[in-house]
C-alpha cells in the first residue's frame, strides 16, 4: 500500500505479511508511530479528511492481557478488553480524520480559511493529516487493519477542556470516552481546552463542526467554565446576557442543518466551603442552560446537577480520586472520573433519542457507580500520548 490513499479507497494491511513493520514516514504514508516516552503501540496512515469505518484485528502476545484501543488523541474506541496469548480479536468502530482547512466562500476567495490551532495542537494527532490507531500497551499487537469510508450518522461535540480529547498524564474528559459507549454513531470531538462560546466562533471551530453536520446528526454543546471568567474580558459572556444569547444562536445553527442540538450544563468543580459543602461555582450559568433549553424546547443533559450528586455520593476523599493530577486539579478529571461522567451522558442520550442511539453493554447502574477501589480503568490502560509534557489550559 502506497501513501496515495483516496477517500473512496479501502486501506487493508495484514501485519503477518510484513517481515518487520517500519516506522511511519511521510513518503511511505503508513507505519508504526508510537511516542518514545509512552508504552502505547501506535500505527498511523496518511489519509484524506473524512469519516471511516475501522475493522481491526489484534493479537495477544502474552497470557491474559487487558487493553484498550484508541484513535487520534487518545480517543477511546473500545471498552476494556481481555486477550490471551496468540488469541485474535476482531473489532469494529468509526473514526473521523479532520484537517484545519475550511471550504472557501465568496467572501474569502483569496485566502482559504482554517481553524485557528493554538497551544499544544501543533503536536496533536487530531490535526496532523493522518489517522493514528493506538493500543494501550505493547503486549497486544496489530494483526490486520482495514479502513473504509463511511456515511454513518454522527454525534458532534462542542465544548471546553472537560469535553476535549486529553492526551497527557492522567487527564481525561467525558467526550473522549463517548465513542466506546455509542456503538452505532461516529463521535467527532471538536472541543478544545480554554474555549468559550465566543472563541469557538472566532477560532472557526464552530464553522468546522457545522461543515460536518448533516440531517439527523446530534450536536452536544457544553460551555461555561471559561465563559464565566471576567479575567478573560475578550471572551467573557454574562450568564444573564451574552451567554444564553450565544447558546440560542448555536441551537439555531444546528437546527438549520436539520440536526438535533442538545445542551449540556457544565461539569461541577470539586470546590467546598468551610463546612465541606460542595459549592456551585457555575451559579447562574447552569440555570441559564436550563432556561434556554426550556425556552427553545431543546433536550438538556444536566451535568452540573449530576456531577454534584456524583461527588457527594463518592464523598470528599473518594471524589478526589476522580480528578486529574492526583486530585490536585479540582476541574479536570482522570480516566476514572471521565468514564463515570461519559456513562451518564451516553445513557441520557439513549433516554432522549432511544430510536437513534445504541449503547455498549458495558455500562453501569447510575444509581450505584463503581468506586475508585474497583479500578475499572487501571492507570496501565491510560498511556501518555504526547512527545512532551503539556499543561491543560482552562480551569
Amino acid at each position: 500500500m502506497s501513501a496515495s490513499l483516496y477517500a473512496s479507497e479501502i486501506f487493508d494491511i495484514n501485519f503477518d505479511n510484513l517481515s518487520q513493520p517500519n516506522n511511519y514516514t511521510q513518503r511511505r504514508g503508513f507505519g508504526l508511530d508510537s511516542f518514545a516516552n509512552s508504552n502505547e503501540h501506535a500505527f498511523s496512515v496518511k489519509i484524506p479528511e473524512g469519516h471511516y469505518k475501522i475493522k481491526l484485528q489484534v493479537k495477544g502476545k502474552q497470557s491474559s492481557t487487558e487493553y484498550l484501543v484508541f484513535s487520534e488523541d487518545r480517543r477511546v474506541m473500545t471498552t476494556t478488553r481481555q486477550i490471551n496469548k496468540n488469541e485474535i480479536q476482531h473489532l469494529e468502530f468509526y473514526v473521523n480524520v479532520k484537517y484545519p482547512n475550511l471550504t472557501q466562500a465568496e467572501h474569502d476567495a483569496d485566502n482559504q480559511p482554517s481553524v485557528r490551532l493554538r497551544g499544544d495542537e501543533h503536536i496533536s494527532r487530531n490535526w496532523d493529516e493522518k489517522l493514528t490507531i493506538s493500543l494501550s500497551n505493547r503486549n497486544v499487537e496489530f494483526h490486520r487493519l482495514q479502513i473504509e469510508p463511511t456515511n454513518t450518522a454522527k454525534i458532534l461535540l462542542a465544548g471546553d477542556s472537560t469535553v476535549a480529547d486529553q492526551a497527557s498524564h492522567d487527564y481525561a474528559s467525558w467526550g473522549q470516552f463517548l465513542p466506546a459507549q455509542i456503538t452505532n454513531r461516529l463521535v467527532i470531538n471538536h472541543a478544545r481546552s480554554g474555549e468559550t462560546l465566543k472563541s469557538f466562533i472566532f477560532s472557526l471551530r464552530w464553522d468546522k463542526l457545522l461543515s460536518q453536520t448533516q440531517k439527523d446528526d446530534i450536536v452536544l454543546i457544553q460551555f461555561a467554565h471559561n465563559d464565566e471568567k471576567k479575567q478573560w474580558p475578550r471572551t467573557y459572556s454574562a450568564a444573564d446576557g451574552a451567554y444564553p444569547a450565544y447558546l440560542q444562536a448555536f441551537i439555531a445553527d444546528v437546527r438549520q442543518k436539520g440536526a438535533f442540538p442538545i445542551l449540556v450544563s457544565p461539569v461541577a468543580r470539586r470546590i467546598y466551603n468551610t463546612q465541606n459543602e460542595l459549592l456551585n461555582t457555575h451559579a447562574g450559568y447552569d440555570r441559564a442552560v436550563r432556561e434556554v433549553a426550556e425556552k427553545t424546547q431543546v433536550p438538556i443533559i444536566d451535568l452540573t446537577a449530576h456531577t454534584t450528586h456524583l461527588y457527594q455520593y463518592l464523598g470528599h476523599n473518594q471524589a478526589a480520586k476522580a480528578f486529574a493530577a492526583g486530585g490536585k486539579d479540582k476541574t479536570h478529571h482522570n480516566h476514572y472520573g471521565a468514564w463515570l461522567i461519559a456513562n451518564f451522558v451516553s445513557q441520557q442520550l439513549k433516554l432522549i433519542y432511544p430510536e437513534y442511539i445504541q449503547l455498549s453493554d458495558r455500562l453501569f447502574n447510575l444509581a450505584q457507580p463503581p468506586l475508585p477501589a474497583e479500578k475499572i480503568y487501571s492507570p496501565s490502560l491510560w498511556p501518555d500520548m504526547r512527545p512532551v509534557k503539556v499543561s491543560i489550559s482552562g480551569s
Side-chain angles (χ1 to χ4, degrees):
M1 171 62 67
S2 70
S4 58
L5 181 68
Y6 294 93
S8 60
E9 292 183 336
I10 296 177
F11 178 93
D12 188 352
I13 184 168
N14 189 327
F15 290 81
D16 279 354
N17 295 335
L18 301 178
S19 56
Q20 179 65 44
N22 294 309
N23 289 332
Y24 180 89
T25 64
Q26 282 282 6
R27 183 175 181 179
R28 183 181 298 112
F30 64 93
L32 297 176
D33 205 13
S34 304
F35 288 127
N37 62 334
S38 174
N39 68 335
E40 67 166 347
H41 187 34
F43 187 85
S44 294
V45 180
K46 186 177 182 180
I47 197 168
E49 181 174 51
H51 314 318
Y52 298 93
K53 183 175 183 177
I54 305 299
K55 296 180 180 179
L56 175 66
Q57 296 178 24
V58 297
K59 185 176 181 180
K61 293 176 64 177
Q62 69 175 34
S63 298
S64 194
T65 293
E66 198 175 41
Y67 73 97
L68 287 172
V69 178
F70 307 97
S71 73
E72 300 296 79
D73 246 355
R74 205 168 56 188
R75 204 169 301 152
V76 187
M77 308 312 298
T78 67
T79 54
T80 305
R81 303 184 66 89
Q82 202 83 20
I83 192 169
N84 295 315
K85 186 176 182 179
N86 294 326
E87 179 185 357
I88 295 175
Q89 293 185 356
H90 300 247
L91 306 164
E92 293 187 4
F93 49 86
Y94 300 108
V95 301
N96 167 258
V97 174
K98 56 182 183 283
Y99 288 13
N101 291 344
L102 287 154
T103 303
Q104 282 183 304
E106 62 278 3
H107 53 271
D108 42 49
D110 297 327
N111 182 27
Q112 185 175 19
S114 64
V115 174
R116 295 174 188 170
L117 305 184
R118 60 178 177 79
D120 64 340
E121 287 188 293
H122 65 287
I123 57 172
S124 165
R125 285 173 170 167
N126 284 344
W127 300 99
D128 61 1
E129 301 187 357
K130 59 185 177 181
L131 169 65
T132 300
I133 304 296
S134 180
L135 309 177
S136 58
N137 61 73
R138 301 185 185 187
N139 293 325
V140 186
E141 60 186 9
F142 293 97
H143 183 67
R144 187 173 182 178
L145 174 63
Q146 293 175 284
I147 306 170
E148 59 184 69
T150 182
N151 290 317
T152 190
K154 302 178 290 296
I155 297 174
L156 301 103
L157 310 182
D160 52 37
S161 55
T162 60
V163 187
D165 296 332
Q166 300 290 359
S168 61
H169 196 41
D170 64 342
Y171 283 84
S173 79
W174 64 260
Q176 69 192 114
F177 273 94
L178 216 56
Q181 298 176 2
I182 308 292
T183 59
N184 66 322
R185 286 189 173 235
L186 165 62
V187 177
I188 306 178
N189 196 343
H190 284 274
R192 173 70 177 91
S193 295
E195 290 297 322
T196 68
L197 285 162
K198 189 182 293 186
S199 69
F200 214 74
I201 295 172
F202 65 62
S203 66
L204 302 186
R205 294 175 191 276
W206 186 239
D207 280 1
K208 187 67 178 181
L209 182 151
L210 288 176
S211 73
Q212 297 178 322
T213 303
Q214 296 177 313
K215 186 177 184 297
D216 293 339
D217 286 344
I218 296 171
V219 180
L220 301 182
I221 303 165
Q222 186 216 277
F223 291 91
H225 277 88
N226 305 304
D227 305 71
E228 64 194 24
K229 294 179 178 177
K230 291 183 178 180
Q231 67 270 33
W232 292 7
R234 187 161 164 250
T235 57
Y236 168 70
S237 297
D240 58 354
Y243 180 75
Y246 276 118
L247 284 179
Q248 291 180 68
F250 275 43
I251 289 167
D253 276 345
V254 174
R255 283 177 163 166
Q256 186 170 282
K257 289 283 188 176
F260 305 116
I262 297 179
L263 295 184
V264 184
S265 62
V267 294
R269 296 187 180 95
R270 186 175 50 86
I271 296 177
Y272 300 87
N273 62 18
T274 54
Q275 285 76 45
N276 270 345
E277 298 168 331
L278 202 66
L279 295 173
N280 182 5
T281 65
H282 302 304
Y285 287 85
D286 58 322
R287 182 175 65 250
V289 176
R290 298 184 193 105
E291 290 175 350
V292 170
E294 183 177 3
K295 179 180 179 179
T296 58
Q297 294 298 291
V298 166
I300 179 174
I301 297 176
D302 197 342
L303 282 189
T304 307
H306 171 72
T307 51
T308 298
H309 174 76
L310 174 64
Y311 307 157
Q312 291 170 335
Y313 172 86
L314 292 174
H316 194 288
N317 294 328
Q318 293 296 304
K321 297 178 181 178
F323 281 78
K328 295 178 183 178
D329 193 309
K330 300 181 187 302
T331 297
H332 305 99
H333 300 91
N334 58 20
H335 56 282
Y336 163 71
W339 177 74
L340 290 181
I341 298 168
N343 266 262
F344 178 78
V345 173
S346 60
Q347 292 188 54
Q348 288 297 300
L349 277 171
K350 180 66 174 178
L351 289 174
I352 294 169
Y353 292 122
E355 70 276 25
Y356 288 126
I357 301 294
Q358 294 177 13
L359 298 181
S360 161
D361 59 2
R362 303 273 189 95
L363 301 176
F364 61 78
N365 181 350
L366 294 175
Q368 294 181 307
L371 299 176
E374 297 179 49
K375 295 182 178 178
I376 302 299
Y377 277 98
S378 66
S380 64
L381 293 174
W382 205 245
D384 201 339
M385 290 190 184
R386 278 289 192 271
V388 295
K389 287 188 177 182
V390 294
S391 60
I392 306 297
S393 61
S395 62

